[in-house]
Amino acid sequence: IEIHSEEETKEKFRPMEIMKQNSIENMTLYRLLGIIDPIIQSHYHPNDSRRVLNFISKFYSTLHKESELRLTEKKRLRYKNSCCIWIRASPLVLKERVNKRTEQMLKNGGIREIIRVFNYFTNRYGESLNFTKGVLQAIGYKEFYPLYR
C-alpha cells in the first residue's frame, strides 16, 4: 500500500465511487478491509458491503483505521443510570425464540402493519425502495417486499 498525503489521497482515491463503478465483489472488499484493518474486519460479515465499503473509504480519506478511531472515542451511554443486560443462548435456542416471536407478531397483525408500511413508502417514493436506510432496514421488510409486489 502506498501512503500519500491527505490531499493526494482525497484527489487520487475515491474508493466508494471506484468500487461501485467497477462492481467489485464483496469478498474482495472484505479482504482489502482485512489488510487495512483486521480488527474491524473481524467484527463484520463479508456481505455487509455497505459498512465494509464505508470503512475502506474512511481509511483512504483520513488515513486512520476505524479500530484506532474507536479506541480514541469516549463511550457514553444515553442515560446516566443505565444498565446493560446481555443474554447468551445457543443458536438453536435463539432460532426457536425468533421463530416463536415471528409467528406471534404475524398472528397479532404483523402482515397488516407490513402492508401499511409498504403502501406508505411506495406512495411516497415509488416502486424502488431503499432497504439500507430508515425503518425499511428493520428485520423482515426486505424479505416481505417480493410478496407485497
Side-chain angles (χ1 to χ4, degrees), residues 7-8 12 14 29 51 61 79 103 113 124 149:
E7 279 189 28
E8 281 180 314
K12 285 186 174 184
R14 300 187 193 284
L29 293 174
R51 284 196 179 107
S61 64
Y79 302 102
E103 286 175 21
E113 181 182 343
R124 191 162 187 182
R149 294 186 86 205

Side-chain angles (χ1 to χ4, degrees), residues 64-117:
H64 295 289
K65 297 178 182 180
E66 180 68 19
S67 58
E68 292 169 355
L69 294 172
R70 288 185 181 187
L71 285 174
T72 60
E73 284 179 356
K74 290 184 177 180
K75 306 284 188 240
R76 291 187 200 151
L77 295 174
R78 186 174 184 179
Y79 302 102
K80 289 182 182 180
N81 298 319
S82 299
C83 176
C84 296
I85 298 171
W86 192 273
I87 300 172
R88 294 180 185 258
S90 73
L92 290 175
V93 171
L94 288 175
K95 186 174 182 177
E96 184 181 321
R97 287 180 186 167
V98 168
N99 287 340
K100 211 180 224 182
R101 177 70 179 123
T102 304
E103 286 175 21
Q104 183 183 7
M105 289 169 62
L106 294 175
K107 283 179 188 174
N108 292 337
I111 296 292
R112 282 190 304 276
E113 181 182 343
I114 291 168
I115 290 170
R116 196 170 62 241
V117 168

